[in-house]
Amino acid sequence: MAPNIGQLTERPTEIHSGQIRVRGLVRRFGDRAVLEGIDLDIAPGEFVALLGRSGSGKSTLLRALAGLDHDVTGSGSATVPEKRAVVFQDSRLLPWARVLDNVTLGLSGADAAERGRAVLSEVGLAGRERSWPNALSGGEQQRAALARSLVREPELLLADEPFGALDALTRIRMHRLLRELCARHRPAVLLVTHDVDEAITLADRVLVLDGGTIAVNREIDLPVPRSHRDPRFIDHRDALLAALGVTEDDSENSNG
């Protein structure tokens, strides 16, 4: 059962099938407002990436939609699907449970193991059902985490920098896998990331969170797969980096 997020709003939170609608969401930590009246809609099956500087409230918004910030006070309203899943930067696999048991944790029904094996096959881990998590590479652990989230067929997948700890080559492979899985399962996705190229590569739409509000809402109208050398990709990158306050000199210094 997905966590109840009724505690997150002063007005009742509604849970509907397939809808993501946020209005006037405010989140405060003490006297500091991290989110200042967020309005957000995500269509069923839409992939949205959320960018922002460190401390801008990206993870706070994601945790609000997931129902994980019960200690935070605030106001506003959110309409979210009941069937939600979260993927974090670390896989959060239980080390004392084998891979299949991690994937099917909390599932009931005679077909739970069969569903687990099917989704493990989808993420390229067929035959690893009896492995212990510490026998998997970092990329394989994140594949198992994806399998665990998708086995429940969520209508909303919330991903908090799920590839941030992976090496560059593994990240490219995980990007391809995530796009394929989302095309197959069709959840709405909210991906929190610091990586502008990752956001453009994966998302239908990219948001920039700044000053507690959504400052940029940019459609990414590029064919898939997307080339970083495409002039339109470069235009999107330049515009988003500018919105994040990154200058051309900053980019050159980071590459040098």
Side-chain angles (χ1 to χ4, degrees):
M1 177 66 69
N4 188 317
I5 67 171
Q7 300 96 319
L8 302 179
T9 61
E10 293 176 354
R11 298 195 299 274
T13 298
E14 301 178 20
I15 298 179
H16 289 265
S17 176
Q19 296 182 3
I20 301 94
R21 178 181 172 90
V22 179
R23 291 294 179 270
L25 191 66
V26 177
R27 287 291 173 268
R28 295 183 181 276
F29 292 89
D31 295 332
R32 185 172 74 95
V34 177
L35 303 179
E36 288 273 22
I38 295 290
D39 293 334
L40 172 64
D41 292 277
I42 303 176
E46 185 181 16
F47 197 126
V48 175
L50 182 62
L51 294 168
R53 302 179 190 184
S54 295
S56 62
K58 303 184 300 298
S59 293
T60 299
L61 176 57
L62 182 142
R63 290 172 65 85
L65 297 183
L68 300 175
D69 68 342
H70 305 308
D71 295 331
V72 182
T73 60
S75 61
S77 65
T79 301
V80 295
E82 183 175 8
K83 295 174 66 177
R84 289 160 285 166
V86 186
V87 182
F88 297 97
Q89 184 170 339
D90 56 83
S91 66
R92 304 200 178 187
L93 300 176
L94 302 177
W96 56 85
R98 296 184 188 273
V99 169
L100 180 59
D101 294 329
N102 266 285
V103 169
T104 59
L105 184 68
L107 284 184
S108 58
D111 65 339
E114 180 180 348
R115 290 163 58 192
R117 291 189 183 92
V119 75
L120 280 170
S121 179
E122 283 190 88
V123 302
L125 290 179
R128 304 303 300 274
E129 295 87 352
R130 297 289 297 166
S131 296
W132 297 104
N134 63 7
L136 304 181
S137 69
E140 289 171 335
Q141 289 179 17
Q142 284 303 88
R143 287 172 182 263
L146 277 174
R148 181 179 56 196
S149 66
L150 293 172
V151 75
R152 292 160 178 79
E153 293 293 342
E155 294 169 298
L156 173 59
L157 178 63
L158 300 157
D160 194 355
E161 299 192 69
F163 311 131
L166 302 179
D167 64 81
L169 182 57
T170 302
R171 289 183 72 169
I172 291 171
R173 292 169 175 162
M174 292 299 291
H175 289 166
R176 187 181 305 117
L177 175 64
L178 183 58
R179 287 288 310 197
E180 292 172 355
L181 291 170
C182 288
R184 191 175 304 139
H185 292 267
R186 300 300 300 163
V189 181
L190 180 63
L191 168 72
V192 166
T193 179
H194 281 98
D195 187 329
V196 172
D197 283 4
E198 179 172 86
I200 301 169
T201 296
L202 291 172
D204 304 312
R205 185 159 51 103
V206 179
L207 312 177
V208 176
L209 194 59
D210 185 41
T213 63
I214 294 175
V216 173
N217 183 346
R218 190 175 183 90
E219 299 283 344
I220 308 298
D221 52 349
L222 298 176
V224 177
R226 295 170 178 171
S227 169
H228 291 198
R229 294 184 294 273
D230 187 325
R232 295 168 296 174
F233 192 107
I234 296 169
D235 287 343
H236 284 303
R237 179 198 291 137
D238 290 345
L240 291 167
L241 286 172
L244 291 164
V246 179
T247 67
E248 185 174 340
D249 288 342
D250 292 331
S251 297
E252 290 176 356
N253 291 335
S254 67
N255 293 327

